[in-house]
Amino acid sequence: MTQQSESTTTTTTTLTTTLTTTAPSSRPASAPDTGTPLSEPRPLRERRVWPRSFADRLTAPLPGISGFARFAREGALRPGSEGLADVSRLPYEPGPLPRVGADTIAVSWAGHASWVVRIGGLTVLTDPVWSRKILGTPARITPVGVPWSALPRVDAVVISHNHYDHLDAPTLRRLPRDTPVFVPAGLGRWFRRRRFTHVTELDWWEAAELGGVRLDFVPAHHWSKRSLHDTCRTLWGGWMLTAPDGRRVYFAGDTGYGHWFSRIGARYPGIDLALLPIGAYDPRWWLSDVHCDPEDAVRAAQDLGARRMAPMHWGTFILSAEPVMEPLTRVRAAWEKAGLPREDLWDLPVGASRTLP
């Protein structure tokens, strides 16, 4: 099982409740069938009360004492010297952000799970981490692919969960405090304590709308933790971004493989691009419940019915034991084995961009 950075503990405690009228159950309704109308967007900046824990949303139990004992005996958290030998070969090709109009969808990979998504005239950052180092891991092995100074005005930020490699306080401090941020249930207080004024929290299958772009929060096979005492106190998930013309970009955040992908695909048919994680998966017995390996990611793209897939969550931070270039090699092989068109695998170098046709 992964950890909060995903690798160590910290001492920061995050409270998870806010003020509103009623407290929903932690257990969500099951995913609707194909053709069920999407939920109405919830009000922006709505204050809500959340359950104290979302542990009942876990797909698999977190490891117990026996799991940690096995990891202590045989687990390797970092690749050996042979696995690190190819660091210089990691693809890094920064370039200018593409020119876009209101009807253009473009994505630029800044590294790890950080994307600059241009959709419906908005610039949306996903899990922005521009820091050179995060808690509990070595410094990033590829530079940030998009300089902060090169960003246009950021219209919105979406956060998948609170692990340190996805929720980076130093990066978020660079943003104006009135930047709209969209976060999982229970995580709003973390942002409001840092004086963000436009915070919208959502449960699974809920949505909000900004500037004509719909943002749906969808399930993931993962967990949350940021300190010693807040395991699963906030929710985790991915985001479906839908442009006014109906085109869709799915940002999976951080997730293992499982049943949610087919249900997401049924609920949101016609996904044009899926941003899916392919790294931080070895040892498999420890991480399979919460991190896709490359073959899992290709299966997930097929389950989603996505037209294209862009790999992420690899080649930036060393979070597990696989060789640094292995995720890319394996995802290309799995894509070819599945008989999928090569042009639909957007295996971008860090810093590169691609525009939807």
Side-chain angles (χ1 to χ4, degrees):
M1 183 64 68
T2 186
Q3 311 82 290
Q4 60 270 52
S5 65
E6 334 261 325
S7 71
T8 68
T9 58
T10 180
T11 57
T12 303
T13 300
T14 302
L15 300 178
T16 60
T17 56
T18 55
L19 300 176
T20 190
T21 54
T22 59
S25 168
S26 176
R27 174 62 62 182
S30 60
D33 295 330
T34 304
T36 302
L38 297 178
S39 61
E40 288 295 319
R42 297 194 67 94
L44 299 176
R45 292 183 279 187
E46 181 182 19
R47 294 288 190 107
R48 304 168 71 179
V49 171
W50 299 107
R52 181 172 174 79
S53 173
F54 293 93
D56 60 342
R57 307 287 186 93
L58 291 168
T59 305
L62 297 175
I65 295 175
S66 61
F68 282 101
R70 178 182 174 186
F71 187 79
R73 289 195 309 270
E74 61 185 67
L77 191 58
R78 304 285 184 261
S81 57
E82 290 185 5
L84 293 171
D86 288 330
V87 165
S88 63
R89 295 180 54 222
L90 289 168
Y92 177 73
E93 298 178 14
L97 295 177
R99 292 179 174 271
V100 299
D103 58 350
T104 305
I105 295 179
V107 295
S108 304
W109 190 31
H112 202 53
S114 302
W115 294 86
V116 184
V117 181
R118 321 287 287 283
I119 182 169
L122 302 182
T123 296
V124 181
L125 301 185
T126 69
D127 289 358
V129 179
W130 261 251
S131 295
R132 178 177 173 272
K133 195 176 187 305
I134 55 173
L135 186 68
T137 69
R140 60 197 306 149
I141 53 176
T142 49
V144 179
V146 180
W148 190 263
S149 60
L151 291 174
R153 186 190 70 179
V154 176
D155 299 298
V157 172
V158 296
I159 299 294
S160 64
H161 66 300
N162 71 356
H163 287 161
Y164 279 82
D165 57 323
H166 295 260
L167 179 64
D168 183 52
T171 299
L172 293 165
R173 280 199 294 268
R174 300 185 180 195
L175 293 166
R177 294 307 186 268
D178 60 353
T179 303
V181 292
F182 297 85
V183 305
L187 196 53
R189 181 164 182 170
W190 188 94
F191 281 87
R192 285 188 285 268
R193 288 175 61 189
R194 288 157 178 80
R195 302 191 304 280
F196 283 89
T197 60
H198 198 305
V199 182
T200 302
E201 297 174 271
L202 296 177
D203 201 343
W204 289 349
W205 309 117
E206 292 183 341
E209 190 172 301
L210 182 72
V213 175
R214 182 181 168 103
L215 305 96
D216 288 69
F217 189 56
V218 296
H221 300 276
H222 206 61
W223 66 307
S224 69
K225 183 178 178 67
R226 200 167 172 87
S227 75
L228 291 173
H229 307 292
D230 66 350
T231 302
C232 297
R233 295 285 182 87
T234 65
L235 196 51
W236 53 90
W239 291 92
M240 189 71 67
L241 308 180
T242 304
D245 63 6
R247 289 184 294 169
R248 290 187 167 125
V249 175
Y250 167 58
F251 169 65
D254 206 354
T255 180
Y257 177 78
H259 65 282
W260 287 128
F261 291 113
S262 59
R263 297 188 186 185
I264 292 167
R267 180 70 165 134
Y268 306 93
I271 297 170
D272 293 277
L273 174 64
L275 311 176
L276 286 165
I278 66 167
Y281 53 77
D282 187 29
R284 207 74 198 110
W285 67 266
W286 178 257
L287 293 168
S288 63
D289 291 333
V290 293
H291 283 171
C292 287
D293 65 18
E295 293 78 15
D296 288 339
V298 173
R299 290 169 62 198
Q302 294 175 293
D303 292 351
L304 289 161
R307 297 185 176 99
R308 304 165 189 86
M309 170 185 159
M312 64 172 183
H313 204 269
W314 79 281
T316 308
F317 295 107
I318 298 176
L319 301 174
S320 58
E322 72 271 4
V324 294
M325 281 293 291
E326 184 180 277
L328 181 61
T329 302
R330 284 176 54 174
V331 78
R332 287 172 172 171
W335 193 263
E336 181 179 5
K337 184 177 180 179
L340 299 170
R342 181 62 181 88
E343 63 270 18
D344 291 339
L345 178 63
W346 288 12
D347 46 346
L348 301 181
V350 173
S353 302
R354 191 71 66 88
T355 301
L356 280 172

